[in-house]
Amino acid sequence: MQKQETDAISELISKLGNKKILTTKEELIPFMKDASYITGKLPLAVCLPDNAGDISTILSVCNNYRINVTVRSGGTSLTGSSVTDFNGIIISTMNLNRILEINTSSRYAVCEPGVRIDLLNQELKKCNFFYPPDPASSRASTIGGSLSTNAGGLRAVRYGATKEWVLGMDVVVPDGHIIRTGEYTLKRSAGYDITALMIGSEGTLGVVTKAILKIEPLPEATAKLIAFYKDIESVGKSMNSIKSKGITPLIAEFMDLGTINSIRKNMEIDIPEYTQFLLMIDVDSPEEGLARKIQNVKSILEGFTDDVTVITDQNHMDRIYAARKGAYSALLDLRENNHQLVVIGDVIVPSSELASTMKEIAESINNDGMKATLFGHIGDGNIHANIFMDNTDEGRKKMEKLQMDIARAAIRHRGSVSAEHGIGTEKNRLLYEEYLERNSIYTLEIMKSIKKVFDPNNILNRGKIFYESD
């Protein structure tokens, strides 16, 4: 450890106390990993702040000594956003875990970044409200992490991604200043929208310490329709027909047979033998209109398949919802050996382009000789290709080639290389490819200029979003 690093950690211990600074190897090792397949460097220290003042102190000290800082919340990143590629410290925001306010008349909730999304919804449910963004990892993922990646989830077809649900936030910028962006009001026209800039910035511009989130009343009555198909084209046509009729589902999910098989037992439904793909639609309505809504959607689906199952029992619906959210974990049981990893991809195209994009992705999987399953949020065109990777140099190279092939397919169909997982270190080269294809590399230069304004010493989450070598 260099002298400036030793001096910085000594100053942090002096100002915050031993209990808030982890320094032993045993304490630091868990922070080398997150939910991705990427392993970072052993951090110099891990800081456990309790409040915005602590974070201000940490950033001020690190900025003064030019110490790299990586921000981490729930550790559920799938792109390596919460591990470090450079010598430096990690700030864990998990002790900032309070729900500060719920205001149903003004329809907002105020939370610290370490609040888990499911916990927030448990509290909101007591008031008959909910927070719509729902990444599959919502049981473990936090408000801070979802803000940093602009997380989406199953309900994005109706409610959009996280950016649609944030009114404002408190942020500590790299020199230690604490700023407020946005406000508690639903409308505001007051200069640049710094709140929107922070969302999706993956901790490269500042550390969020408080978020003001919009909330919604819970749907009055819901039902789930599940349709079965031989081909992805019919799945796409079904979804396009539903949306063309002016119906926006609460949830619209597709799965291929590999994914279906991984969660078949937990779904507790009969699946026809011919099934290669499944479409899951959730609809909502006032109680008196639900039967009509179900029939409308069922009629559309029956134009493309002979088998449609309708479920109205809330407990059964909840079990299927949980099974779908657990699909990634369930796929681990399909590995050929315990050393094989499952790398979850995340691209998006306009929903009208989904079927043709899926065909190209399937061809790439076959041509590259990789095992992969497909599922995703069909309502917004979000495809997750789950690649079974041998944990060897050759296996990683094959996985990276397939990721690039999938990304290029999405780009060709007017999509993006990342829908909701962020860029991290996994996708910074893919992001470059996207802007190169758009003939808009200068857009990346503008982003780098913004980063330099906020963080002139480049201490925050180095290597995330933009590729950097040592």
Side-chain angles (χ1 to χ4, degrees):
M1 192 181 298
Q2 297 180 6
K3 184 178 185 302
Q4 69 185 54
E5 296 169 344
T6 303
D7 289 347
I9 293 170
S10 295
E11 187 170 337
L12 289 172
I13 292 172
S14 174
K15 290 183 174 181
L16 298 179
N18 283 310
K19 291 183 179 180
K20 294 183 180 180
I21 312 294
L22 306 181
T23 57
T24 68
K25 187 174 181 179
E26 292 77 10
E27 294 172 318
L28 301 179
I29 284 175
F31 292 88
M32 295 175 66
K33 290 287 294 179
D34 55 17
S36 73
Y37 62 92
I38 296 167
T39 300
K41 287 190 174 182
L42 186 75
L44 303 173
V46 172
C47 299
L48 306 173
D50 288 333
N51 51 58
D54 285 352
I55 293 177
S56 176
T57 297
I58 295 165
L59 290 186
S60 180
V61 169
C62 289
N63 194 54
N64 183 49
Y65 285 97
R66 306 297 192 266
I67 303 298
N68 296 310
V69 178
T70 298
V71 187
R72 179 187 181 102
S73 193
T76 59
S77 170
L78 292 166
T79 60
S81 289
S82 52
V83 297
T84 180
D85 292 330
F86 300 89
N87 288 332
I89 71 160
I90 285 177
I91 294 177
S92 170
T93 62
M94 290 307 293
N95 286 344
L96 282 79
N97 56 11
R98 296 177 299 160
I99 299 172
L100 302 173
E101 182 184 358
I102 293 174
N103 189 318
T104 55
S105 62
S106 293
R107 294 194 176 182
Y108 67 73
V110 184
C111 298
E112 292 182 325
V115 172
R116 298 193 187 277
I117 294 174
D118 276 4
L119 178 61
L120 172 60
N121 275 321
Q122 287 172 23
E123 292 302 309
L124 289 172
K125 189 175 182 180
K126 298 173 184 177
C127 312
N128 204 38
F129 276 74
F130 76 121
Y131 173 63
D134 66 332
S137 59
S138 60
R139 187 175 179 181
S141 62
T142 63
I143 295 300
S146 65
L147 292 171
S148 75
T149 58
N150 189 28
L154 279 68
R155 290 191 288 254
V157 61
R158 166 71 67 82
Y159 297 106
T162 297
K163 66 180 181 179
E164 314 296 339
W165 295 93
V166 185
L167 296 172
M169 58 180 74
D170 286 0
V171 181
V172 185
V173 294
D175 66 1
H177 279 93
I178 302 173
I179 64 172
R180 158 72 62 79
T181 76
E183 204 43 84
Y184 290 80
T185 55
L186 291 175
K187 292 192 297 185
R188 186 171 181 268
S189 180
Y192 296 149
D193 190 350
I194 305 299
T195 301
L197 183 61
M198 287 291 171
I199 299 168
S201 63
E202 299 185 43
T204 60
L205 303 180
V207 181
V208 177
T209 60
K210 184 171 74 175
I212 310 164
L213 309 171
K214 292 191 287 185
I215 58 177
E216 278 281 291
L218 284 165
E220 186 174 328
T222 60
K224 189 180 294 290
L225 295 92
I226 301 178
F228 306 90
Y229 302 85
K230 298 177 182 177
D231 58 86
I232 189 60
E233 289 87 354
S234 296
V235 180
K237 289 176 182 177
S238 294
M239 192 66 238
N240 288 338
S241 295
I242 289 170
K243 294 178 76 174
S244 296
K245 296 291 186 182
I247 299 171
T248 304
L250 278 173
I251 293 173
E253 297 288 300
F254 79 91
M255 307 176 201
D256 70 359
L257 184 58
T259 307
I260 294 167
N261 285 337
S262 72
I263 63 172
R264 181 187 294 254
K265 181 179 178 180
N266 293 330
M267 292 182 69
E268 303 172 23
I269 58 173
D270 293 327
I271 298 172
E273 289 186 4
Y274 65 79
T275 301
Q276 294 297 313
F277 293 92
L278 171 156
L279 175 61
M280 182 188 301
I281 301 287
D282 279 26
V283 296
D284 72 313
S285 169
E287 192 73 51
E288 63 273 14
L290 184 61
R292 184 178 63 184
K293 188 80 166 279
I294 292 170
Q295 188 54 49
N296 287 345
V297 175
K298 188 170 185 286
S299 296
I300 294 170
L301 294 173
E302 288 174 340
F304 302 95
T305 179
D306 294 329
D307 292 286
V308 180
T309 298
V310 177
I311 301 168
T312 56
D313 177 73
Q314 189 61 55
N315 289 331
H316 192 185
M317 291 170 61
D318 290 344
R319 291 195 296 275
I320 294 174
Y321 179 71
R324 164 57 188 90
K325 294 188 85 171
Y328 172 66
S329 299
L331 288 171
L332 296 175
D333 291 337
L334 302 183
R335 293 177 298 170
E336 294 171 1
N337 57 68
N338 290 334
H339 300 292
Q340 199 170 53
L341 303 176
V342 180
V343 178
I344 180 168
D346 173 46
V347 298
I348 190 166
V349 295
S351 55
S352 58
E353 298 285 324
L354 186 73
S356 53
T357 307
M358 286 276 290
K359 286 185 69 175
E360 290 186 26
I361 289 174
E363 290 171 3
S364 294
I365 292 169
N366 184 61
N367 293 338
D368 289 348
M370 298 287 284
K371 176 182 177 181
T373 65
L374 300 170
F375 65 76
H377 317 307
I378 191 171
D380 52 32
N382 187 183
I383 306 166
H384 296 309
N386 306 280
I387 304 167
F388 291 75
M389 180 188 81
D390 291 330
N391 196 16
T392 62
D393 289 343
E394 181 182 357
R396 186 162 297 215
K397 287 178 182 177
K398 290 177 68 175
M399 179 276 298
E400 289 173 351
K401 179 182 183 304
L402 179 55
Q403 287 271 55
M404 182 65 77
D405 291 343
I406 291 171
R408 286 174 173 156
I411 293 167
R412 282 194 298 272
H413 289 273
R414 300 181 178 182
S416 177
V417 300
S418 182
E420 57 187 10
H421 292 172
I423 300 300
T425 55
E426 179 194 50
K427 290 194 170 187
N428 42 32
R429 286 188 174 93
L430 301 185
L431 184 69
Y432 178 87
E433 287 289 322
E434 179 175 324
Y435 283 104
L436 182 65
E437 178 66 22
R438 303 278 185 263
N439 195 29
S440 191
I441 289 295
Y442 190 60
T443 303
L444 284 176
E445 296 305 314
I446 293 173
M447 291 184 194
K448 290 177 182 178
S449 297
I450 293 170
K451 161 74 167 168
K452 193 168 184 178
V453 169
F454 277 86
D455 185 15
N457 293 322
N458 193 25
I459 66 166
L460 270 183
N461 274 21
R462 281 187 63 190
K464 312 299 162 51
I465 302 179
F466 316 110
Y467 175 70
E468 278 193 65
S469 59
D470 285 304

